[in-house]
Amino acid sequence: MTAQLELADWRRRIAELYARIRATPAPEAAHELWRTTRDELFRTHPQSPLRPDDSLRGTGLPYWPYDPTLRFTVLLEPAEPVALDVPTSSDATIHLRRIGRVELLDAGLDVWWLEQYGGGIFVPLRDGTAGTETYGAGRYLLDTAKGADLGGTDREFVLDLNFAYHPSCRYNPLWECPLAPEGNRLSSSVCAGERL
């Protein structure tokens, strides 16, 4: 199998995983499915961002315990459109366009449209745990271009902070990852989701 077909298979499996998560009525059970499936993919898939000698292949990825109070259905609020070139982990840029904002945890987060990858909705998060308990560049909550989507409608999103995950560049610098821009940074700590 070529690297391109392997990557297509990885993306297909992630999309299938999130479809199964959306079909699982109990969020805590969906979270357990997410964790175990991701651990299996990270351990065995040829396109895993983990290097072959990474100890996480044996131990699995670390997470905080599931906290049901950190699951939200948020309304997409209007925000002034902004075009932004966001730096990536490899000094390249990803083109984003702000399509709105959402409110959660007494704070707002920008919601972006990825102008690359064929488009997609993107909500990164960099919180008070960044650099100590989580990856310094932040984590991702929603990335529809990659299939990471917990559901919603054309005006609402399900954002469950327990599903916050590190971008692939946290594990391997060969991966391109847009970093969380200013409108996606919280000073408070979000002790949920994937951690170091």
Side-chain angles (χ1 to χ4, degrees), residues 111-176:
V111 177
W112 299 94
W113 181 259
L114 284 164
E115 297 287 353
Q116 287 147 280
Y117 302 121
I121 298 171
F122 180 58
V123 181
L125 169 70
R126 186 178 190 277
D127 66 279
T129 66
T132 56
E133 297 172 279
T134 61
Y135 183 52
R139 296 177 286 167
Y140 296 169
L141 295 176
L142 178 66
D143 185 355
T144 64
K146 304 265 179 62
D149 178 9
L150 297 175
T153 67
D154 62 341
R155 296 275 311 160
E156 293 182 330
F157 304 114
V158 175
L159 293 180
D160 189 331
L161 299 173
N162 296 286
F163 287 81
Y165 65 95
H166 291 133
S168 298
C169 59
R170 178 267 188 256
Y171 303 105
N172 190 326
L174 297 177
W175 290 73
E176 282 290 312

Side-chain angles (χ1 to χ4, degrees), residues 4-196:
Q4 292 86 359
L5 291 176
E6 289 171 350
L7 183 56
D9 182 66
W10 173 273
R11 289 182 178 168
R12 186 178 306 114
R13 288 179 190 222
I14 294 295
E16 289 168 354
L17 168 61
Y18 277 87
R20 289 174 33 220
I21 289 167
R22 289 189 298 273
T24 302
E28 196 161 350
H31 186 259
E32 182 61 26
L33 171 66
W34 179 70
R35 289 181 58 174
T36 58
T37 304
R38 287 184 80 232
D39 280 346
E40 179 65 21
L41 284 170
F42 272 67
R43 182 173 38 260
T44 64
H45 198 279
Q47 283 291 315
S48 171
L50 295 179
R51 295 172 189 254
D53 62 345
D54 193 315
S55 64
L56 292 174
R57 284 187 183 263
T59 63
L61 305 174
Y63 303 89
W64 275 284
Y66 189 83
D67 181 349
T69 67
L70 296 176
R71 182 180 179 87
F72 306 92
T73 299
V74 293
L75 182 65
L76 180 65
E77 301 286 350
E80 182 178 335
V82 172
L84 188 62
D85 288 336
V86 177
T88 69
S89 54
S90 66
D91 295 328
T93 57
I94 300 286
H95 308 291
L96 301 175
R97 183 172 37 90
R98 186 169 61 184
I99 61 171
R101 283 184 62 80
V102 295
E103 297 292 323
L104 70 150
L105 297 178
D106 298 322
L109 293 175
D110 288 334
V111 177
W112 299 94
W113 181 259
L114 284 164
E115 297 287 353
Q116 287 147 280
Y117 302 121
I121 298 171
F122 180 58
V123 181
L125 169 70
R126 186 178 190 277
D127 66 279
T129 66
T132 56
E133 297 172 279
T134 61
Y135 183 52
R139 296 177 286 167
Y140 296 169
L141 295 176
L142 178 66
D143 185 355
T144 64
K146 304 265 179 62
D149 178 9
L150 297 175
T153 67
D154 62 341
R155 296 275 311 160
E156 293 182 330
F157 304 114
V158 175
L159 293 180
D160 189 331
L161 299 173
N162 296 286
F163 287 81
Y165 65 95
H166 291 133
S168 298
C169 59
R170 178 267 188 256
Y171 303 105
N172 190 326
L174 297 177
W175 290 73
E176 282 290 312
C177 301
L179 310 179
E182 193 61 41
N184 292 82
R185 297 180 182 189
L186 302 178
S187 58
S188 60
S189 293
V190 176
C191 296
E194 190 176 342
R195 59 184 179 81
L196 295 177

